[in-house]
Amino acid sequence: MLRALAVDDERPSLEELLYLLNADPRVGSAEGAGDATEALRRINRALESGPDGPEAIDVVFLDIQMPGLDGLDLARLLGGFARPPLVVFVTAHEDFAVQAFDLKAVDYVLKPVRKERLAEAVRRVAEPRAAAQHGSAPRIPVHEPDPDQIAVELGGVTRFVAVEDITHVEAQGDYARLHTDRGSHLVRIPLSTLEERWRSRGFVRIHRRHLVALRHIGELRLDAGTVSVLIGSEELQVSRRHTRELRDLLMRRTTG
């Protein structure tokens, strides 16, 4: 049974989160803290109590934007502890996902929190912990990679996006954001890896931050020495070092 601490400075959000956690049969207890400073004091008591002590905490469900010490600050502090609790971020802002997973977060849940989505986050905490207690690794289904698709996570569910539907890819640190006509998806794959993997599929690097699918380029624009491409309604700049290669590829594609 998991022992959870929920941290949120907005009382209604905290109460809703605690209600959902306490309704989950895998959660033995769930406490609340109104800010990160209060949570840090509570976590310190838990660490002093030991993993089997009455004050122990297994997982912290943590808001990000809070006055004073915010959720990311608290997660960084916990990263310096010898045996910190696991962290699941619960936030209304999707912009911090890269930072959150760099801090070894188990999951990143967006508000408003759905019961099914929170249950998936609890599962991600509970299953590895139960496997570790029984001395075995959690069983993860293994699938052969499909070169025509890439796995992405959407609402706690793994889905597959067709590579041919991806218009361009944007670098975000060690992650990449895949753009399609229907939205975007963040994957933990460096842009350089996707560039190598998809070169034969018509993707070309146009900038240190962007990889584009040649078939989705609508226009090549030249304005005062600056080159850009139009993909749908989005205009992306082409760096000088990639301009010649892009022009040659587009010419071969046109005349081929």
Side-chain angles (χ1 to χ4, degrees):
M1 300 289 281
L2 293 175
R3 297 156 295 187
L5 176 66
V7 188
D8 199 314
D9 64 309
E10 296 180 355
R11 193 69 194 177
S13 296
L14 180 60
E15 290 177 351
E16 175 67 12
L17 182 55
L18 287 171
Y19 172 79
L20 292 174
L21 288 171
N22 281 310
D24 193 305
R26 294 164 295 187
V27 178
S29 64
E31 300 179 44
D35 57 50
T37 302
E38 179 187 350
L40 186 58
R41 287 195 294 266
R42 178 64 186 83
I43 292 167
N44 277 322
R45 294 203 307 272
L47 295 175
E48 290 171 1
S49 174
D52 298 317
E55 301 273 0
I57 296 172
D58 301 308
V59 58
V60 180
F61 290 84
L62 184 58
D63 189 19
I64 289 183
Q65 290 197 325
M66 294 181 287
L69 193 70
D70 68 20
L72 294 173
D73 293 331
L74 178 56
R76 290 187 189 98
L77 289 173
L78 294 180
F81 294 169
R83 297 185 65 179
L86 299 175
V87 172
V88 172
F89 284 103
V90 183
T91 176
H93 306 279
E94 66 176 11
D95 301 339
F96 300 103
V98 172
Q99 297 175 62
F101 287 115
D102 282 344
L103 291 170
K104 313 301 182 187
V106 175
D107 207 347
Y108 192 90
V109 180
L110 290 176
K111 297 178 182 178
V113 179
R114 294 183 294 107
K115 178 181 178 180
E116 297 80 7
R117 181 64 183 89
L118 187 64
E120 170 63 16
V122 171
R123 183 194 66 77
R124 293 184 180 192
V125 173
E127 286 190 357
R129 181 173 176 274
Q133 288 176 339
H134 290 86
S136 62
R139 291 179 297 174
I140 302 174
V142 177
H143 303 280
E144 289 297 320
D146 185 340
D148 296 326
Q149 297 179 321
I150 184 168
V152 302
E153 183 180 295
L154 186 62
V157 177
T158 300
R159 302 183 186 278
F160 293 90
V161 173
V163 174
E164 66 179 14
D165 291 339
I166 298 170
T167 59
H168 61 289
V169 186
E170 179 183 3
Q172 294 188 351
D174 291 333
Y175 294 74
R177 184 168 291 279
L178 313 177
H179 293 267
T180 72
D181 290 338
R182 294 181 293 278
S184 67
H185 308 278
L186 194 67
V187 294
R188 194 167 190 169
I189 306 174
L191 190 67
S192 57
T193 300
L194 293 178
E195 178 185 11
E196 179 67 25
R197 184 183 299 176
W198 291 345
R199 182 177 290 119
S200 63
R201 304 181 68 90
F203 283 79
V204 60
R205 191 75 163 259
I206 64 167
H207 190 275
R208 62 182 178 82
R209 291 192 58 211
H210 289 114
L211 183 69
V212 303
L214 290 172
R215 61 184 170 277
H216 287 289
I217 295 177
E219 294 181 14
L220 180 67
R221 296 178 172 179
L222 179 61
D223 182 16
T226 299
V227 178
S228 62
V229 294
L230 191 67
I231 298 180
S233 60
E234 189 167 0
E235 187 172 355
L236 303 175
Q237 186 176 347
V238 182
S239 66
R240 290 185 178 181
R241 62 176 295 196
H242 293 105
T243 297
R244 181 183 293 275
E245 179 188 10
L246 178 62
R247 283 178 167 173
D248 290 346
L249 287 170
L250 287 174
M251 285 297 294
R252 287 202 296 270
R253 192 175 182 85
T254 302
T255 57

